[in-house]
């Protein structure tokens, strides 16, 4: 019998910093299935994985790093160092108990608390990446042969958006100017849930996610940067584009016909 998927509370309300939820599993790292162990590169035999009914912790994915923080239960505190999603849709909170006697019990209530500063940084970076992608698309979609947006990384030390087509370095200042315009415009960043007809009615068929990625009967989560672009996305974001803070285009690099535009937030 497959365990139920973890309810991703942060996808519906990313403003929550604390949440009470129920422990559904406590697993020593070495007892995890191999497919789950490989998700964590720096874990040791001292680590455990906690699964809860709901979570406000964003698992690493979609180019965004995972949240960190703590789980507090009746018997002690569990420090969360990394979060991933397994093949069954369960969110795995990896970390360490404060001491050997502080282990949780299945079925007990714990309080989740995320690292707020880290969440804000990751939300700024993720939104900034979408704003950068929108800036490049609006500026160069008709200028660059075979243009398309490919993928992005929103990690603090390697934030970048990748595009199909060769973007010359001469476009850097124009991209920066377009980006600045979108940031200072305080565009609303809205979380919406769309079905396939919602994409088609807006002429955005190119954004319809692979059906295998959307559970039957559910809609796709999209981030609508009002006045700029829409992106299917499961990540966390700031509420308006100005909250990204200053976003700087670092450089444009090209390889095998594709281009990479790296950026930082100040």
């Amino acid at each position: 019998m497959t365990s139920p998927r973890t309810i991703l509370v942060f996808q519906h309300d990313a403003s929550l910093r604390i949440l009470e939820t129920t422990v559904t599993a406590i697993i020593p790292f070495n007892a995890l299935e191999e497919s789950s162990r490989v998700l964590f590169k720096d874990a040791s035999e001292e680590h455990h994985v906690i699964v809860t009914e709901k979570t406000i912790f964003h698992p690493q994915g979609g180019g965004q790093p995972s949240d960190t923080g703590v789980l507090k239960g009746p018997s002690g505190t569990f420090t969360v160092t990394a979060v991933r999603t397994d093949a069954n849709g369960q969110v795995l909170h990896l970390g360490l108990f404060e001491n050997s006697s502080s282990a949780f019990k299945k079925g007990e209530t714990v309080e989740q608390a995320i690292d707020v500063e880290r969440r804000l940084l990751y939300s700024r970076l993720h939104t900034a990446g979408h704003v950068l992608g929108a800036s490049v698309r609006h500026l160069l979609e008709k200028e660059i042969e075979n243009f398309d947006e490919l993928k992005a990384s929103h990690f603090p030390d390697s934030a970048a958006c990748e595009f199909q087509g060769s973007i010359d370095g001469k476009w850097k200042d124009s991209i920066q100017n377009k980006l600045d315009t979108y940031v200072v415009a305080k565009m609303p960043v809205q979380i919406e849930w769309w079905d396939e007809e919602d994409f088609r009615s807006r002429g955005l068929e190119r954004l319809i996610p692979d059906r295998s990625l959307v559970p039957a009967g559910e809609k796709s989560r999209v981030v609508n940067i009002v006045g700029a672009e829409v992106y299917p996305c499961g990540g966390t974001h700031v509420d308006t584009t100005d909250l990204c803070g200053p976003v700087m285009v670092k450089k444009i690099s090209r390889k095998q016909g594709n281009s990479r535009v790296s950026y930082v937030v100040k």
Side-chain angles (χ1 to χ4, degrees):
M1 181 175 166
T2 304
S3 300
R5 288 182 291 146
T6 305
I7 298 168
L8 307 178
V9 176
F10 66 86
Q11 287 198 342
H12 300 272
D13 185 356
S15 69
L16 288 175
R17 303 297 186 246
I18 294 174
L19 176 74
E20 284 196 348
T21 185
T22 304
V23 174
T24 59
I26 308 105
I27 311 163
F29 178 73
N30 288 348
L32 279 177
E33 293 184 5
E34 175 63 19
S35 60
S36 294
R37 283 204 306 274
V38 299
L39 299 174
F40 301 100
K41 293 181 180 177
D42 301 319
S44 70
E45 61 183 20
E46 280 130 33
H47 283 82
H48 282 72
V49 158
I50 306 296
V51 182
T52 52
E53 180 186 9
K54 305 175 182 179
T55 191
I56 54 172
F57 283 78
H58 182 282
Q60 182 170 302
Q64 181 171 332
S66 77
D67 283 321
T68 59
V70 295
L71 305 181
K72 295 180 180 179
S75 54
T77 299
F78 180 82
T79 299
V80 179
T81 56
V83 188
R84 303 289 187 271
T85 306
D86 72 9
N88 298 317
Q90 290 193 112
V91 173
L92 310 177
H93 306 84
L94 178 82
L96 297 165
F97 287 105
E98 61 182 354
N99 57 59
S100 59
S101 64
S102 62
F104 300 153
K105 296 179 177 65
K106 184 176 178 180
E108 76 181 9
T109 298
V110 294
E111 180 186 85
Q112 297 181 339
I114 58 169
D115 181 323
V116 176
E117 285 189 21
R118 191 175 295 231
R119 162 64 72 81
L120 178 57
L121 173 61
Y122 294 164
S123 298
R124 291 173 59 215
L125 280 161
H126 202 147
T127 306
H130 288 331
V131 177
L132 173 60
S135 301
V136 175
R137 174 174 288 279
H138 283 250
L139 194 64
L140 299 179
E141 185 173 23
K142 296 177 181 176
E143 301 285 340
I144 304 295
E145 188 176 358
N146 298 319
F147 176 87
D148 201 1
E149 293 179 69
L150 298 176
K151 59 183 180 178
S153 167
H154 311 296
F155 282 67
D157 297 328
S158 58
C161 298
E162 296 185 24
F163 304 90
Q164 183 173 292
S166 182
I167 301 175
D168 193 276
K170 70 180 182 182
W171 290 105
K172 182 181 176 184
D173 288 345
S174 298
I175 293 171
Q176 183 69 64
N177 290 338
K178 189 73 170 175
L179 181 58
D180 291 344
T181 299
Y182 280 166
V183 169
V184 301
K186 299 184 179 181
M187 292 175 160
V189 181
Q190 298 179 177
I191 303 301
E192 300 172 5
W193 297 85
W194 291 10
D195 57 24
E196 290 192 13
E197 182 53 38
D198 291 320
F199 287 97
R200 291 194 179 93
S201 66
R202 294 165 171 81
L204 295 173
E205 291 89 346
R206 63 180 171 81
L207 296 179
I208 295 176
D210 186 317
R211 281 190 176 88
S212 68
L213 301 177
V214 183
E218 296 188 16
K219 295 185 177 184
S220 298
R221 185 179 189 264
V222 301
V223 174
N224 183 1
I225 303 174
V226 180
E229 281 292 327
V230 173
Y231 291 94
C233 181
T236 65
H237 297 275
V238 292
D239 292 334
T240 52
T241 55
D242 58 302
L243 296 178
C244 293
V247 185
M248 307 299 294
V249 177
K250 286 174 64 180
K251 68 176 183 177
I252 301 172
S253 54
R254 292 161 295 282
K255 185 177 181 180
Q256 298 179 332
N258 293 334
S259 303
R260 188 173 189 270
V261 182
S262 58
Y263 69 97
V264 294
V265 296
K266 299 292 188 181

